[in-house]
Amino acid sequence: MTWLSWLVFLAALFAAGTNGFYLVRKPNGVKWYLRLFNALAVIYFGVLYLLIGLESVDPLLHGPVLIRPGILILLLLLAAEPIADYRR
């Protein structure tokens, strides 16, 4: 399970790096905050999956405390698309 957790974590870092690279190259893009929230969500859930896979966090005991910030990030991610369409 640990190698899979590290693989998911590295894939999350790659996805967040891709979003970060796009943000640096085109800082005034129409949906820059959509990419920012997407990078935050990918990093957060990648780290969370890594911690659960390494068994340093018990999901049954600490699950709700760890998932609530992720839910907020995902809600911001869902709200970013209509905000970008409204701004256009």
Side-chain angles (χ1 to χ4, degrees):
M1 181 68 173
T2 59
W3 65 270
L4 182 63
S5 298
W6 280 106
L7 187 66
V8 168
F9 178 68
L10 292 176
L13 285 180
F14 178 73
T18 304
N19 282 321
F21 179 73
Y22 185 83
L23 282 171
V24 169
R25 296 239 334 159
K26 298 183 181 189
N28 294 329
V30 177
K31 298 180 182 179
W32 65 269
Y33 43 86
L34 181 63
R35 293 212 182 258
L36 179 67
F37 290 142
N38 191 4
L40 289 175
V42 165
I43 288 173
Y44 183 77
F45 285 110
V47 168
L48 187 62
Y49 192 83
L50 178 67
L51 291 176
I52 291 172
L54 294 176
E55 296 177 358
S56 60
V57 172
D58 184 16
L60 295 176
L61 183 61
H62 301 291
V65 173
L66 294 173
I67 296 297
R68 285 184 188 132
I71 291 171
L72 177 66
I73 292 172
L74 290 176
L75 287 174
L76 289 172
L77 184 63
L78 287 172
E81 184 76 25
I83 290 171
D85 292 338
Y86 179 72
R87 287 185 58 204
R88 255 192 266 171

